């Protein structure tokens, strides 16, 4: 079996909030390249554009799991359900079911506690999750997605994040000289962390 690593970031813009880089590692059959991967997972994973063609809310089992750029998945005024499914279904497939905002950070970025506590707008904040999605539907969708991926020989191995909160972001920009260099450095560090977390022999 081979492995693919996917990575993206959110929050790399002018609005107040942390920059968050996330990465996932997938086990795939030997010899599968980029052109062969999308057809292989098409029964389980949809792009935002493909799911939007259906129109309207969907019942469990009608559409695949939507994985795409957050700007494509989330549209103002249309709720957080699809965005929450993207993260929480993945974590459920990995045996993780955080039920609070803080719990989600502890799963995705366990070393982020001190950085969050340094900001008063995060320090005392917590809320139950999911905010809008149904927890039972997340569990059911995760089971369906896992089974569909398994039929294609694909498995999610790990998911991890690197949040860069506001004060650290400013400090790192000053150290590295540019936002682009900061982003590249943090992304490579996260990729290394993800690779190290993959069990040996897989």
């Amino acid at each position: 079996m081979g492995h693919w690593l996917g990575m993206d970031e959110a929050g790399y813009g002018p609005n107040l909030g942390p920059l968050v880089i996330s990465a996932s590692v997938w086990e795939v059959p030997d010899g599968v390249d980029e052109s062969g991967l999308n057809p292989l997972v098409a029964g389980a994973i949809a792009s935002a554009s493909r799911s939007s063609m259906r129109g309207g809310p969907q019942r469990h089992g009608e559409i695949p799991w939507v994985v795409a750029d957050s700007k494509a998945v989330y549209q103002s005024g249309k709720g957080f359900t699809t965005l929450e499914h993207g993260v929480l279904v993945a974590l459920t497939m990995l045996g993780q079911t955080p039920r609070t905002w803080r719990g989600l950070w502890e799963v995705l970025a366990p070393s982020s506690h001190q950085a969050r506590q340094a900001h008063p707008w995060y320090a005392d904040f917590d809320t139950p999750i999911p905010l809008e999605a149904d927890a039972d539907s997340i569990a059911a969708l995760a089971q369906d997605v896992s089974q569909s991926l398994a039929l294609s020989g694909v498995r999610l191995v790990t998911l991890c994040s690197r949040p860069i909160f506001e004060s650290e972001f400013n400090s790192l920009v000053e150290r590295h000289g540019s936002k682009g260099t900061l982003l590249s450095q943090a992304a490579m560090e996260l990729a290394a962390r993800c690779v190290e977390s993959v069990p040996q022999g897989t």
Side-chain angles (χ1 to χ4, degrees), residues 2 6 14 18 39 51 58 61 65 85 94 97 103 105 119 136-137 142 164 169 176 190 192 194 196-197 199:
S51 68
Q58 306 292 331
W65 179 39
H85 276 170
L94 293 170
T97 54
W105 281 118
H119 298 78
D136 290 338
S137 72
I164 304 176
F169 182 89
H176 292 296
L190 178 64
C194 278
E196 290 173 357
S197 72

Side-chain angles (χ1 to χ4, degrees), residues 126-186:
D126 200 13
T127 190
I129 60 170
L131 296 175
E132 297 178 5
D134 178 71
D136 290 338
S137 72
I138 288 171
L141 182 56
Q143 182 176 5
D144 282 357
V145 170
S146 292
Q147 292 174 348
S148 180
L149 291 174
L151 291 174
S152 300
V154 177
R155 181 175 67 91
L156 177 62
V157 177
T158 191
L159 179 66
C160 49
S161 296
R162 167 61 164 110
I164 304 176
F165 293 93
E166 292 82 345
S167 59
E168 184 186 11
F169 182 89
N170 293 335
S171 174
L172 290 176
V173 168
E174 183 175 355
R175 180 192 306 174
H176 292 296
S178 72
K179 292 190 292 185
T181 303
L182 178 162
L183 182 61
S184 297
Q185 181 69 26

Side-chain angles (χ1 to χ4, degrees), residues 43-124:
I45 302 176
S47 67
S49 59
R50 198 174 114 209
S51 68
S52 66
M53 291 190 295
R54 303 281 186 112
Q58 306 292 331
R59 295 191 303 273
H60 162 65
E62 286 189 318
I63 63 170
W65 179 39
V66 179
V67 178
D69 186 279
S70 60
K71 293 185 288 295
V73 174
Y74 173 72
Q75 297 179 9
S76 180
K78 294 191 176 181
F80 293 100
T81 298
T82 304
L83 198 61
E84 289 186 310
H85 276 170
V87 177
L88 298 179
V89 166
L91 289 177
T92 300
M93 289 193 292
L94 293 170
Q96 301 281 357
T97 54
R99 296 303 187 199
T100 67
W101 184 84
R102 290 182 183 178
L104 182 62
W105 281 118
E106 293 303 319
V107 169
L108 290 174
S111 63
S112 68
H113 177 77
Q114 185 174 351
R116 283 185 282 115
Q117 292 302 108
H119 298 78
W121 47 93
Y122 301 127
D124 297 322

